[in-house]
Amino acid sequence: MALKRLAVFAGAGVMALSMVACSSGGGKQDGAGEGSGGGTVDTPRMTIAMITHEVPGDSFWDLIRKGAEAAAKKDNIELRYSNDPEAPNQANLVQSAVDSDVDGIAVTLAKPDAMQAAVKAAGAKNIPVVAFNAGMDAWKPMGVKEFFGQDGRIAGQGVGERLTQEGATKAICVIQEQGHVDLEARCAGVKETFPATEILNVNGKDMPSVESTITAKLQQDPGIDYVVTLGAPFALTAVQSAQNAGSNAKIGTFDTNAALVEAIQGGDVQWAVDQQPFLQGYLAVDSLWLYLSNGNVIGGGQPTLTGPAFIDKSNIEAVAEYAKGGTR
């Protein structure tokens, strides 16, 4: 069954991909360079660095990484994955990749200003850079070749419209990292189409603190009838917060993992906005191989959208088996 598309979905180039099989085991892979075994292409061996703003423990990035590893395996690429949630440290990782003369770099731009110098250094050495997941409004001015992800603001607008359709009266939108451009765009979009939305900032690196902060907010304001989170682990925590507070607030979220799929099936979470992180990781790596081996650039100067789409009880079975395999 096709996933529900958000009404305000912005069109982009559509690609048909032949995905290779990947591990059915969940969780992180063993080390930084998996998926770099023998490929199925006959192009020379390449080295690609992928540098993200992953917060350790956030299962979203397991899906990104599995997609990247699948593409790396197919394309005979040595994948060097690294991450740091602090923007200056992430920029240092990009600079290290530049200094080690990798063939290409895939990077997230959650805090673009901090990344500009390192991205410019890559350009000075003719190392192609693509962006994915975060930085929809920043990648092109920075000279990045391609972008793969969803438009956070459009996705948020779709969420706000859904809240209205469901008869919500007051919502909180929970941001787990202040200053992250995509997260803030999502909540801004929610507020645009559902003005009765309050932004709640939490410390996403401390899940007990997230739980207590949401609990306190729900206790303070019993009029809140919807909690919107921006990641699957935070949605599951919000479920516990609502129970702690004795609140009947419903939970909706961005992004999925296997536990979140079960929560939708069980009714604890109403829906999730899917941006297909496996696909983001896959396209980021595969696009660099295409550029390096054949001069191809995807998207015609526009972002290639991997979402958004709603997943709820009406279509959850379409992705449940993939979620069990750790790729949705």
Side-chain angles (χ1 to χ4, degrees), residues 22-23 25 27-36 50-52 54 56-73 79-83 108 132-133 276-285 326-327:
C22 62
S23 169
K28 289 186 179 296
Q29 304 301 303
D30 302 328
E34 303 79 5
S36 57
M50 174 173 278
I51 302 105
T52 76
E54 172 188 350
D58 187 342
S59 56
F60 176 87
W61 298 99
D62 298 355
L63 306 180
I64 291 276
R65 192 164 172 181
K66 283 189 174 183
E69 289 164 353
K73 183 176 182 180
L79 179 66
R80 297 180 183 174
Y81 181 92
S82 59
N83 61 283
T108 58
F132 65 101
N133 179 256
Q276 301 189 96
F278 180 96
L279 186 59
Q280 290 179 12
Y282 186 99
L283 289 174
V285 172
T327 58

Side-chain angles (χ1 to χ4, degrees), residues 126-149:
N126 294 317
I127 299 173
V129 178
V130 301
F132 65 101
N133 179 256
M136 171 73 74
D137 296 327
W139 67 280
K140 205 168 181 180
M142 292 174 67
V144 173
K145 292 191 175 299
E146 300 159 77
F147 179 87
F148 306 98

Side-chain angles (χ1 to χ4, degrees), residues 107-131:
V107 65
T108 58
L109 301 174
K111 296 178 180 176
D113 289 347
M115 308 300 294
Q116 287 200 38
V119 170
K120 184 177 180 180
K125 293 187 73 172
N126 294 317
I127 299 173
V129 178
V130 301

Side-chain angles (χ1 to χ4, degrees), residues 199-214:
I199 308 301
L200 181 67
N201 289 292
V202 299
N203 178 8
K205 300 174 187 175
D206 183 353
M207 201 60 79
S209 171
V210 173
E211 181 180 326
S212 63
T213 302
I214 298 175

